[in-house]
Amino acid sequence: MPLDIVPSVCPHDCPSACALEVERIEGNRIGRIHGAATQTYTAGIVCAKVARYAERQHHPDRLSQPLRRIGEKGVGRSAFVPVSWDAALDEVAEQLTRAAQRHGSEAVWPYYYSGTMGLVQRDGINRLRHAMRYSREDLTICSMLSGTGWVAGVGARRGVDGREIAKADLIVVWGGNPVSTQVNVMTHVTTARRARGAKLVVVDPYRTASAEAADLHLAPLPGTDGALACAVMHVLFKEGYADREYMTRYADDPEGLEAHLATRDPAWAAAITGLDEGEIVDFARLYGRTKRSYIRVGYGFSRSRNGSLQLFAVTCLPTVTGAWQYEGGGALQSNHGLVPLDHTLLEGLDVLDPATRILDQSRIGPILTGDRRDLGDGPPVSALFIQNTNPMVVAPESGLVRQGFARDDLFVCVHEQFMTETAAMADIVLPATTFLEHDDFYTAGAHTYLQLSRAVLPPHPECRSNHEVVSGLARRLGARHPGFALSPIELIDRTLRASGLPGVEDFPADGWLDCCPPFEIGHFLDGFGHADGKFHFRADWTALGGHNRLPAFPDHVAVTDDGDPERPFRLVAAPSRSFLNTSFNNTPSGIAREGRPTALVHPAALAGLGIADGGRVRIGNRLGSVVVHARAFDGLQRKVVIVEGVWPNHAFEEGIGINLLTSADPGLPRGGAVFHDTSVWLSPA
Ligand code: SF4
């Protein structure tokens, strides 16, 4: 059987953006996918989900024809009939035009997210949006809260190269579970442990697989990490671990911070976090005496109303100890801002009208059901064109989302690889290529490579790429922009050159360009990203686009949903190992490994409720309730409940999933979905 190995890049919504080596069989199928050994962040390792990508790529349920719905919404494939591509695109264009004629162009909402992280196939929808003056989209659902918190202190959207984890003596994984969600972090942790005897600390509300692998696990209550960080800094100042010389040179107000922290001692934090004073002090001393300490912050922060403030507090730690100045020291949230790419051609920024309305993607439920806080004086959304996301499952307040999609007066087109629960609500469904079937290029959150990837396989029958569909609609709608007439490779080439980077012909043959800055810049020794070159202990939240309801200094702010006697539990809807949002929740091996929707509940809490291990539990709040099976688990505080996912709605007994319970309230200071910030009650089901 002829087999060749073809390079590619993982497109999924994961910081690692792994460089891949794909086994291609007879030119039209794939076997296993491996990590590229010579790309030094991937270092030969990929997660099991993508290693088994053949399951997804050649899944019998791949969409392979454009479809028009003739039956009820939500039923699935049997409610649709095949149509030609021309008929489907004509109808979509006609419906978008009709919506714009009736209510104005802002009645159309092109809606997307990160089902692919490829810049051509993900962001081209914005070119269509801007050319047509359709409603804009505020991309809040994942990293808004953590990104805002990071920039508040550091002032730039980059951190220390993730490969330096291997050079650290202490790695703190804070608010993430890389064993399940970003395996490459563990590759470099393992190197540091073997080579240097490095210690691993994990801060997470429950004993994840990463916490099990750690030397120390701290499990604060959800939404209290800022209090922990403040108490650690209190100890660092008090016990002489603070690098005052470094702070004098590189920070805005170390004296003000020290005075502010005087009352934020371990006893104060213990009362808020539920941790022992002793473990807070032990952690602070370990961090304080280890110069090469690397904090890898995860996306857990980005799921809480106070997430920005909490993450900001954590970024202050390496500034207090001066860890930023050492190889293997500092912190990383994301490196997506490292490469200053010119997005004009990709996104049509030259035709963007800044007066057009911006709608918060996390609030799609309230928006589709007519919430005037979102719509303002503008028209209701009456047409959606969706690529790369599955809001019927992943967006908060699923009840409202479902109600919105059920509207008779809403036209929906979904361009997808599978009949997702969002696609099942659409009027027109278009079959989409996977990353193995189109060209694209990628930045990364975790590393410093810019990577280019060409199609490995011909498209699955009748599937078209996002770029082809956007360009096909543009032609029909009369949208004008030179980007629609270019191929993906031409878009990549022109974007690279406009950004001062080598074009496609000059790009490294292996497909990855390391954009790692020199040590001085990477470690902010030439100054942090703010105009004064300092790390800011005093955050200016207003300058970050938010209203100023957060304090300037790092602190704990109890704006979270802390519950009441009726809702005494804190629910965290955490990611599972086998699913990535909803991208892999239909592959047989992933479903087999994850089992069924399950709540991890402390054994004492379970006993108090009279529920047996493995019994059914109803979880609820003012938004509704869902039934799952309970598993007794002692790796969390008694009031914390974990449901990993994201499982499809149909996997739940009553046909609606965990996001029925999560709130669409925007996190502070300028939005963000708050998936881990939910108080609930539990009862036997
Ligand atoms: S670890 Fe992340 S980037 Fe790497 S293959 Fe898995 S999903 Fe893709």
Side-chain angles (χ1 to χ4, degrees):
M1 189 160 52
L3 180 144
D4 52 353
I5 303 295
V6 189
S8 187
V9 177
C10 178
H12 285 283
D13 189 7
C14 166
S16 287
C18 287
L20 307 178
E21 290 175 351
V22 183
E23 294 177 1
R24 182 170 58 185
I25 305 161
E26 294 177 340
N28 61 9
R29 293 186 67 79
I30 62 162
R32 294 282 291 183
I33 291 186
H34 308 272
T38 52
Q39 198 263 41
T40 55
Y41 186 77
T42 303
I45 305 292
V46 292
C47 65
K49 309 183 266 292
V50 169
R52 297 186 300 253
Y53 207 81
E55 265 188 288
R56 187 166 193 278
Q57 173 67 24
H58 304 300
H59 197 295
D61 294 344
R62 276 284 302 275
L63 292 171
S64 59
Q65 290 169 303
L67 301 169
R68 177 189 289 132
R69 187 171 53 77
I70 55 165
E72 291 291 306
K73 289 187 180 185
V75 170
R77 180 66 183 80
S78 64
F80 290 84
V81 292
V83 289
S84 71
W85 266 103
D86 274 345
L89 290 177
D90 286 350
E91 184 165 341
V92 176
E94 186 186 323
Q95 292 286 353
L96 301 191
T97 302
R98 194 177 297 170
Q101 283 170 346
R102 275 196 194 142
H103 305 289
S105 61
E106 290 174 338
V108 179
W109 194 17
Y111 189 91
Y112 78 112
Y113 200 55
S114 298
T116 175
M117 295 292 281
L119 301 173
V120 172
Q121 308 294 350
R122 185 189 66 187
D123 295 344
I125 192 172
N126 285 332
R127 192 180 329 114
L128 182 67
R129 177 198 316 281
H130 299 324
M132 297 302 295
R133 291 192 75 259
Y134 293 150
S135 277
R136 289 188 280 160
E137 182 180 0
D138 202 1
L139 300 175
T140 58
I141 204 162
C142 180
S143 58
M144 175 63 80
L145 282 155
S146 51
T148 305
W150 178 268
V151 173
V154 174
R157 293 190 185 277
R158 61 181 173 87
V160 173
D161 184 351
R163 291 170 293 190
E164 285 196 33
I165 289 173
K167 308 272 179 61
D169 293 321
L170 170 65
I171 302 104
V172 182
V173 171
W174 200 319
N177 177 15
V179 167
S180 289
T181 64
Q182 206 198 136
V183 66
N184 313 82
V185 169
M186 300 309 292
T187 303
H188 300 292
V189 168
T190 302
T191 303
R193 283 173 138 176
R194 285 194 186 135
R196 332 171 47 86
K199 296 273 182 276
L200 173 65
V201 175
V202 169
V203 184
D204 201 290
Y206 74 114
R207 196 175 60 236
T208 59
S210 305
E212 274 173 8
D215 300 284
L216 175 66
H217 172 213
L218 299 170
L221 289 169
T224 66
D225 307 69
L228 172 60
C230 286
V232 169
M233 287 190 280
H234 173 99
V235 175
L236 296 175
F237 276 110
K238 187 174 163 194
E239 298 193 2
Y241 296 113
D243 185 338
R244 294 175 191 280
E245 200 179 317
Y246 176 85
M247 282 188 285
T248 300
R249 182 157 176 207
Y250 286 106
D252 60 340
D253 187 6
E255 295 80 15
L257 177 69
E258 186 173 6
H260 163 76
L261 292 170
T263 55
R264 273 74 174 170
D265 62 11
W268 167 84
I272 295 168
T273 60
L275 298 170
D276 290 337
E277 262 184 76
E279 58 185 334
I280 297 173
V281 173
D282 288 349
F283 170 46
R285 288 175 180 160
L286 175 63
Y287 187 79
R289 66 174 178 262
T290 315
K291 292 300 178 199
R292 291 171 183 254
S293 55
Y294 190 106
I295 302 179
R296 184 67 176 96
V297 289
Y299 286 87
F301 290 95
S302 215
R303 312 280 184 258
S304 184
R305 286 170 179 79
N306 60 2
S308 291
L309 183 64
Q310 294 186 81
L311 188 133
F312 164 59
V314 171
T315 62
C316 294
L317 266 65
T319 313
V320 172
T321 62
W324 293 109
Q325 65 196 297
Y326 304 108
E327 188 179 31
L332 174 64
Q333 184 260 330
S334 172
N335 265 331
H336 276 299
L338 177 67
V339 187
L341 283 174
D342 182 337
H343 283 245
T344 305
L345 192 56
L346 294 172
E347 299 193 54
L349 300 180
D350 47 347
V351 292
L352 185 161
D353 177 354
T356 49
R357 171 173 75 178
I358 304 183
L359 299 173
D360 180 347
Q361 69 170 158
S362 302
R363 290 184 54 77
I364 184 170
I367 287 167
L368 293 185
T369 50
D371 195 321
R372 278 286 151 207
R373 288 173 297 180
D374 300 286
L375 297 173
D377 297 331
V381 171
S382 56
L384 283 167
F385 168 55
I386 299 176
Q387 289 183 322
N388 295 333
T389 187
N390 185 11
M392 278 285 290
V393 183
V394 303
E397 293 198 27
S398 292
L400 280 185
V401 178
R402 178 172 288 193
Q403 209 179 306
F405 271 94
R407 277 172 40 200
D408 287 335
D409 62 339
L410 178 71
F411 171 80
V412 180
C413 171
V414 173
H415 183 203
E416 251 302 349
Q417 295 158 354
F418 292 94
M419 182 59 76
T420 62
E421 283 160 298
T422 304
M425 300 298 280
D427 300 281
I428 296 286
V429 175
L430 306 172
T433 48
T434 68
F435 76 104
L436 295 168
E437 300 160 0
H438 56 233
D439 303 328
D440 216 328
F441 70 142
Y442 304 83
T443 57
H447 58 71
T448 54
Y449 288 100
L450 179 66
Q451 301 178 102
L452 199 159
S453 166
R454 295 186 187 252
V456 171
L457 298 177
H460 189 64
E462 290 211 39
C463 290
R464 292 189 185 176
S465 72
N466 289 7
H467 177 64
E468 287 174 282
V469 169
V470 161
S471 299
L473 284 176
R475 273 195 304 279
R476 287 166 172 82
L477 291 162
R480 291 175 189 279
H481 194 279
F484 297 124
L486 300 174
S487 71
I489 287 293
E490 288 168 334
L491 281 167
I492 295 167
D493 185 60
R494 292 197 194 186
T495 298
L496 290 171
R497 291 179 193 283
S499 310
L501 293 162
V504 168
E505 289 297 314
D506 303 319
F507 210 77
D510 51 13
W512 46 82
L513 178 72
D514 194 349
C515 302
C516 186
F519 185 89
E520 280 247 311
I521 296 172
H523 284 256
F524 303 104
L525 298 180
D526 63 334
F528 285 87
H530 295 292
D532 61 3
K534 306 270 189 177
F535 182 95
H536 283 188
F537 288 136
R538 300 175 70 97
D540 182 353
W541 300 110
T542 313
L544 292 167
H547 37 76
N548 206 4
R549 280 172 60 196
L550 294 175
F553 282 122
D555 212 341
H556 172 70
V557 174
V559 293
T560 50
D561 178 10
D562 268 337
D564 50 39
E566 311 273 284
R567 295 173 301 129
F569 293 95
R570 288 293 309 262
L571 170 67
V572 173
S576 68
R577 186 179 303 193
S578 308
F579 306 154
L580 204 174
N581 302 321
T582 60
S583 283
F584 292 84
N585 69 8
N586 64 346
T587 52
S589 64
I591 294 168
R593 187 186 185 281
E594 298 303 323
R596 59 190 178 189
T598 300
L600 306 180
V601 186
H602 194 279
L606 215 46
L609 292 160
I611 300 172
D613 187 10
R616 291 162 65 250
V617 58
R618 185 171 287 281
I619 309 176
N621 62 14
R622 69 173 176 85
L623 297 170
S625 67
V626 299
V627 174
V628 298
H629 286 81
R631 178 148 70 85
F633 178 73
D634 65 3
L636 37 62
Q637 295 194 39
R638 188 173 165 155
K639 66 186 287 189
V640 178
V641 178
I642 309 289
V643 177
E644 293 184 344
V646 184
W647 284 96
N649 289 327
H650 65 71
F652 290 76
E653 284 186 20
E654 290 157 333
I656 191 156
I658 200 66
N659 282 319
L660 177 65
L661 308 179
T662 58
S663 168
D665 284 357
L668 297 176
R670 59 143 312 201
V674 296
F675 295 111
H676 298 178
D677 191 354
T678 310
S679 282
V680 292
W681 48 258
L682 305 187
S683 69

